[in-house]
């Protein structure tokens, strides 16, 4: 059995490149846009604590599993699972888990790009000074105006998708390192500045209580959402981290690196929440505002501080960069697979995949305006309807894609990968890849991958079904 496979897509110069790429993938709209609004929708503390537990007990083990599978095989996820399963004497059908992951990734990218587009749009709005001195209501109306215009959203969605496809097509995953090395620290500093601002609002403690006061009554409400978001935030469950693991040098420590990336990602999420909620309360906005939360609170804050216009521009540039480095990782597993499989040029593969995502993304664009009334999975007093125009309950198109990917597909994908690493690959292979010095740590890691994470996922699913 070989342990020294070489990737056809190239390999990274050092473990730092993996750290940058994986952090770039993990830190994105999930931490800055999605986490705060979900905390708001699911009532605060209960969601945050469940989320943190899911990161530690489920997310990190799955991330370890993905990284070590990728590095062991040095192939795109589908081929990695197939080759390693066959090597260990199991069925090559394990690769189906990775195919499902690719589809999930494409669906996620379809709406990710739309929201990435919002941040591009906001760079311009900030730069024009549209928010200077604005009231919270005005900012809210402004956002409402932006999303009600399908042409405007389509334009920026297209721009965002083109930017992501451009980088992927050139295969400059390593070029990522240079930009992220500069951008990530600046993003971090700006979040700290925002945090500083939110401390001056007089509502800081209200924000802290909202985020950390544990309300046991609401745990079940947000349980599946929190688990799904733990996957989303760490970029696990579709093979993004697996393909990055495939480019990771052999001598780098997987466990240290993965835990580091997970910590940074979680820290950015908490920072974003702590910066946002005090502003939400200070400005009288509603924490359960939904997907627009960040796009109304932050412009309001930037509109009312010194140098806000400039900081606002820089902030949204960085959000766009963070989103873009995540988008890349959503496309890469499928691009790598098709390049391995078909030998079609990388450029064309990327183009067609990006086009498909773009097309599906139009559904998300329209669910904020012309298809706003189109509701799926409606349960009303008159009974359950798969689809109904104008229903008060139910999910819009974006809601359906988001629900299906984050709450169902990501956990299932993660389950497949972690069971694969824990039970299928073989203990020897896992030990060799992890190469931990302490046998106790190895046993603990294996225990997390074999029992804690898979059972955790199943328990959350079960709790949701019997709620
Ligand atoms: N983690 C990214 C974010 O938080 C999004 C992302 C990138 C992702 N790759 C992924 C989510 C793979 C799920 C699976 O913005």
């Amino acid at each position: 059995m070989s342990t020294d496979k070489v990737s056809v897509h190239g390999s990274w110069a050092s473990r730092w490149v993996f750290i940058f790429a994986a952090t770039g993938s993990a830190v994105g709209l999930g931490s800055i846009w999605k986490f705060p609004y979900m905390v708001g929708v699911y009532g605060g503390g209960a969601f945050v604590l469940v989320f943190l537990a899911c990161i530690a007990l489920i997310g990190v083990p799955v991330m370890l599993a993905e990284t070590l599978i990728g590095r062991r095989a040095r192939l795109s996820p589908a081929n990695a699972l197939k080759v390693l399963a066959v090597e260990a004497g199991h069925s090559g059908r394990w690769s189906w888990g990775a195919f499902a992951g690719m589809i999930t990734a494409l669906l996620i990218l379809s709406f990710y790009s739309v929201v990435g587009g919002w941040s591009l749009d906001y760079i311009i709005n900030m730069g024009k000074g549209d928010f200077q001195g604005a009231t919270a209501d005005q900012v809210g109306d402004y956002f409402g105006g932006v999303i009600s215009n399908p042409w405007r959203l389509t334009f920026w969605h297209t721009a965002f998708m083109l930017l992501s496809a451009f980088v992927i097509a050139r295969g400059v995953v390593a070029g990522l390192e240079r930009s992220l090395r500069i951008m990530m620290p600046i993003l971090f500093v700006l979040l700290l500045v925002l945090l500083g601002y939110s401390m001056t609002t007089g509502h800081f403690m209200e924000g802290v209580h909202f985020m950390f006061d544990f309300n046991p009554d609401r745990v079940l409400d947000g349980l599946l959402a929190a688990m799904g978001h733990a996957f989303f935030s760490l970029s696990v469950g579709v093979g993004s981290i697996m393909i990055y693991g495939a480019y990771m040098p052999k001598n780098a420590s997987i466990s240290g690196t993965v835990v580091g990336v997970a910590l940074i990602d979680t820290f950015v999420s908490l920072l974003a929440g702590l910066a946002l909620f005090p502003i939400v309360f200070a400005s009288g906005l509603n924490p359960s505002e939904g997907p627009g939360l960040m796009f109304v609170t932050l412009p309001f804050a930037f509109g009312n501080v010194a140098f806000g216009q400039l900081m606002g521009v820089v902030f949204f540039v960085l959000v766009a960069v963070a989103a873009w480095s995540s988008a890349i990782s959503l496309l890469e597993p499928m691009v790598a697979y098709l390049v391995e499989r078909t030998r079609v040029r990388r450029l064309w593969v990327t183009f067609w995949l990006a086009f498909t995502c773009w097309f599906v993304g139009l559904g998300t664009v329209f669910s904020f305006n012309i298809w706003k009334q189109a509701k799926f999975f409606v349960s009303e007093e008159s009974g359950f309807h798969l689809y109904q125009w104008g229903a008060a309950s139910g999910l819009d198109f974006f809601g359906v894609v988001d629900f299906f990917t984050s709450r169902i597909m990501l956990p299932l994908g993660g389950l497949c990968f972690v069971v694969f690493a824990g039970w299928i690959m073989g203990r020897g292979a896992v030990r060799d890849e992890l190469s931990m010095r302490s046998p106790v740590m190895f046993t603990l890691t294996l225990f997390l991958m074999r029992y804690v994470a898979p059972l955790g996922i199943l328990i959350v699913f079960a709790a949701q079904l019997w709620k």
Side-chain angles (χ1 to χ4, degrees), residues 25-26 28-31 108 112 232-233 235-236 238 240 326 329-330 410:
S25 166
L29 296 171
S31 302
I108 291 178
Y112 206 85
F232 189 96
S233 193
S235 298
V236 295
V238 306
S240 283
S326 302
S329 75
L330 283 162
L410 291 181

Side-chain angles (χ1 to χ4, degrees), residues 383-465:
F384 177 83
H385 308 273
L386 205 51
Y387 172 80
Q388 201 176 48
W389 182 264
S393 64
L395 297 168
D396 59 16
F397 183 88
F398 163 61
V400 173
V401 177
D402 182 34
F403 188 96
F404 177 70
T405 52
S406 290
R407 302 198 195 171
I408 301 176
M409 293 306 284
L410 291 181
L412 286 180
L415 183 63
C416 167
F417 299 152
V418 82
V419 166
F420 188 89
W423 297 97
I424 303 298
M425 257 175 91
R427 202 187 166 96
V430 173
R431 176 180 296 133
D432 184 43
E433 255 346 288
L434 285 177
S435 56
M436 291 173 150
R437 252 174 259 128
S438 144
V440 179
M441 283 306 285
F442 173 70
T443 311
L444 181 72
T445 309
L446 199 61
F447 180 73
L448 282 171
M449 291 198 302
R450 283 193 160 174
Y451 302 100
V452 178
L455 288 177
I457 297 171
L458 294 176
I459 290 171
V460 172
F461 274 138
Q464 191 69 26
L465 283 176

Side-chain angles (χ1 to χ4, degrees), residues 2-15:
S2 63
T3 54
D4 48 0
K5 298 190 171 79
V6 180
S7 161
V8 295
H9 310 284
S11 182
W12 289 335
S14 75
R15 90 182 179 115

Side-chain angles (χ1 to χ4, degrees), residues 253-275:
S253 148
I254 289 184
S255 51
T257 320
V258 161
V259 171
V261 172
L263 282 176
I264 298 177
D265 181 62
T266 310
F267 196 66
V268 172
S269 301
L270 294 178
L271 203 59
L274 281 175

